Amino acid sequence: MARSSVLLYLSVVLFIVLLLTFAPNRPNHPHRRLRLRSAMSGHDRRSIPFDPIIADIERRREDREWERANFFPQGHAPAMEAQPEWEDFMDAEDFINDEERFNVTDRIVKLFPKIDVSPADGFVSSDELTEWNLRQVEKEVMHRTQRDMELHDRNHDGFISFEESEPPSWVHRYHDDNSTGDQVGWWKEDHFNASDMDGDGLLNLTEFNDFLHPANTNSPKLIQWLSKEEIRERDKDKDGKLNFQEFFNGLFDLIRRDDIYNLTHVSDASTEAPAKKLFSQLDHNKDGYLSEDELIPVIGDLHPSEHYYAKQQADYVASEADTDKDGRLNLKEMIENPYVFYSAIIPEEDDYNYHDEFR
């Protein structure tokens, strides 16, 4: 009997040893509590959720707040519906911080092949991360556009007429308190017509998305309108074009180019030379002024698209997680640096010791 007990005990010990030996290893990094971005808080464009699950949770939370604000202003909204991913949790943040239900290492392993696609070579490049980020943010932007279209399409015909349209929220911030209603009205109609690519007097979903997010457009009409607006805002002498001083004092320091950016943080005297050089390059007819057409080449620098921010975040994340400095990420590097990718939902106050903690 005693011999049987010893054999049983040894068998159990051996089983545990084998289990520990062959179980998949997870990196030994401290867990950090993840935070969701606040709903309806004007999300920072540069904070693009890396994980589609995080993005979906945030969209649902934001939708709920949007419904309360637009359809239930007195706070009489119906009860929250259970969500399949986190229905057992009172708070979605508890779900994303439950390592058994939402483990960042497991998530990275699952997402890696979805990012590594161009080519699928076992490495993730900064360009692949950029495209991944761009897909996430484009989905988010279009979701908000569809939601706003539902709100403004009062006759439910699937289009937005000029009468149904309202300026996007940033229009009111764009004009100061001294702007008159006539100025904003003129601006809005011009904006609407520029967004109406087919000229039928109505905005379909794609056109309405451009109306709300003109920096992301590929429409020549809307790009021309952006150029016209830049000149209108900076044209102090109201001659319909920009002289050098109007360009230098109003636009040059806003142009986001690597060869110019570092120069905009020094004295005016030292930046005037590169400003004159760029002005001369843009001034094709050499009349000493910039027209709407001549300003178009830098509109993308003045109004960065979502691609700009997607690349900015991708380049930063890739450089931080690339421990062997070969210019690309393998799965091991991503697993060993998980919070680099989830940093967009980590509170800013936790960021001070982030890099030292996970190296």
Side-chain angles (χ1 to χ4, degrees), residues 20 34 68 77 81 85 93 102 107 132 157 168 205 219 255 267 280 286 316:
L20 293 174
L34 303 178
R68 289 180 184 275
E81 295 181 4
E85 297 88 349
E93 283 189 1
F102 186 87
R107 290 297 301 158
W132 174 258
D157 64 350
L205 181 61
S219 166
I255 295 176
S267 69
S280 178
K286 304 305 178 185
Y316 171 76

Side-chain angles (χ1 to χ4, degrees), residues 232-246:
R232 186 175 70 85
E233 287 293 316
R234 319 294 177 179
D235 181 17
K236 302 303 181 183
D237 58 12
K238 306 303 178 185
D239 62 354
K241 50 194 175 182
L242 299 182
N243 59 39
F244 174 73
Q245 286 303 319
E246 290 168 335

